[in-house]
Amino acid sequence: MKKIIILIIGLTLGSLAYSDVNQYPTYDQSEDKQLLRIDIIQTIAHPALNNTYRGIIDQLVLEGFVAKKNTEIRFANAQGDVSLSNQIAKKFASGEPDVIVAIPTQAAQSAVNATRQTNIPVVFSSVTDPIDAGLVKDLSQPSTNVTGVSNFINLDEQLVLFKQILPNLKRLGFIYSPGEVNSVRILKSLEKIASKYDIEIITSVAAKTTEVSGATNKLIEKVDAIFISNDNNALAAFGVITKIALTAKIPVFVSDNQCKEGETF
């Protein structure tokens, strides 16, 4: 039990750590049942989530949990597919691992749903609003098998900065997926506070990465700038957004400092 508690603390700390690495290491699985089993689900690949994963692995090593020595780590990427995410979570839960790690909101919801009738701990990371996502009822004292960290960023501070950079900003484009709780949560918050800064939020829907290009083009003639926050589809296709915006000379603001202009994922 003590080892499991240390493991969960290490995973939570690792969720806050980012390393400048975009490629996943490869871990061999082992049949040794004495190994500690950690299953990790990631919704989709983009720099911030990739580095969250890497930070978790780095922290586990620092805490003494080393793959192939005393720990077995299984990783699966749902590739932005909700159904696949749910399937992965159910498969992982059926194997009764010591803990399931979920990155970000969609993966966390899948993991929580799959472990409702078990005692398997779930540690989430990169979740904008854990309460709104139905993961926990209280951020300070989760009462179930679920815990983790949020990546919510103060929106007022961001809008203030946007206005400082672009004083004539009146219409701010926002690309989001209605299926992502984190995106909907940020959009609602933005719409509540935008009028304070004399900004109108213009939305464009991209339910999957292949729709990001079209969603961006729909905004170009309507906005003074585009804002990409914690929407995983938009972040996964960030290079597509910047390419279109650069051609149209439309500034792009992004809350994720892992994104770089011109990258596509």
Side-chain angles (χ1 to χ4, degrees):
M1 177 61 71
K2 182 178 179 182
K3 182 178 288 188
I4 296 297
I5 293 173
I6 294 172
L7 169 64
I8 292 174
I9 292 173
L11 287 168
T12 305
L13 289 172
S15 297
L16 295 168
Y18 294 118
S19 300
D20 189 18
V21 183
N22 286 333
Q23 297 298 320
Y24 297 128
T26 299
Y27 296 105
D28 293 333
Q29 295 187 26
S30 171
E31 297 301 324
D32 188 347
K33 295 183 180 180
Q34 299 304 310
L35 295 182
L36 210 62
R37 260 272 307 284
I38 303 172
D39 291 350
I40 303 177
I41 311 172
Q42 184 171 316
T43 297
I44 197 169
H46 63 69
L49 300 187
N50 297 354
N51 286 336
T52 296
Y53 170 86
R54 181 68 242 185
I56 288 169
I57 298 301
D58 289 347
Q59 186 66 36
L60 283 172
V61 172
L62 290 176
E63 298 291 337
F65 299 98
V66 182
K68 298 189 292 185
K69 291 185 178 180
N70 58 7
T71 308
E72 177 189 353
I73 298 176
R74 298 197 305 175
F75 172 81
N77 189 320
Q79 302 173 28
D81 187 317
V82 177
S83 296
L84 181 57
S85 179
N86 292 334
Q87 290 173 21
I88 292 169
K90 288 178 181 178
K91 181 177 180 180
F92 279 174
S94 68
E96 299 183 346
D98 292 291
V99 62
I100 294 177
V101 182
I103 316 167
T105 304
Q106 187 181 97
Q109 289 175 316
S110 296
V112 169
N113 288 333
T115 58
R116 287 195 189 281
Q117 305 302 318
T118 76
N119 292 319
I120 300 170
V122 174
V123 179
F124 61 80
S125 181
S126 297
V127 173
T128 299
D129 190 336
I131 294 177
D132 202 41
L135 304 179
V136 296
K137 293 182 179 179
D138 188 325
L139 291 176
S140 59
Q141 289 189 338
S143 58
T144 62
N145 61 318
V146 185
T147 189
V149 294
S150 170
N151 64 348
F152 183 78
I153 302 174
N154 187 289
L155 292 171
D156 279 285
E157 294 176 358
Q158 292 183 81
L159 293 184
V160 168
L161 179 60
F162 297 170
K163 291 290 280 191
Q164 289 175 351
I165 296 172
L166 201 64
N168 295 325
L169 175 61
K170 298 290 184 182
R171 297 167 299 168
L172 183 63
F174 187 78
I175 299 173
Y176 79 106
S177 170
E180 287 195 36
V181 174
N182 46 302
S183 297
V184 175
R185 165 71 169 81
I186 290 174
L187 175 57
K188 289 179 179 178
S189 298
L190 267 179
E191 291 177 332
K192 285 182 180 179
I193 66 173
S195 60
K196 291 193 298 183
Y197 306 97
D198 195 24
I199 294 175
E200 178 186 3
I201 304 300
I202 310 296
T203 62
S204 190
V205 172
K208 48 190 177 182
T209 54
T210 54
E211 296 177 4
V212 170
S213 177
T216 306
N217 280 312
K218 288 179 182 178
L219 289 176
I220 292 301
E221 299 296 327
K222 302 176 182 178
V223 302
D224 302 310
I226 295 173
F227 175 37
I228 305 301
S229 189
N230 292 345
D231 185 275
N232 291 293
N233 287 332
L235 289 172
F238 186 69
V240 174
I241 297 169
T242 55
K243 183 177 180 179
I244 295 171
L246 183 64
T247 301
K249 298 182 179 180
I250 298 293
V252 177
F253 297 112
V254 60
S255 59
D256 190 334
N257 65 5
Q258 302 297 315
C259 289
K260 298 176 183 178
E261 182 182 324
E263 287 189 329
T264 55
F265 312 102

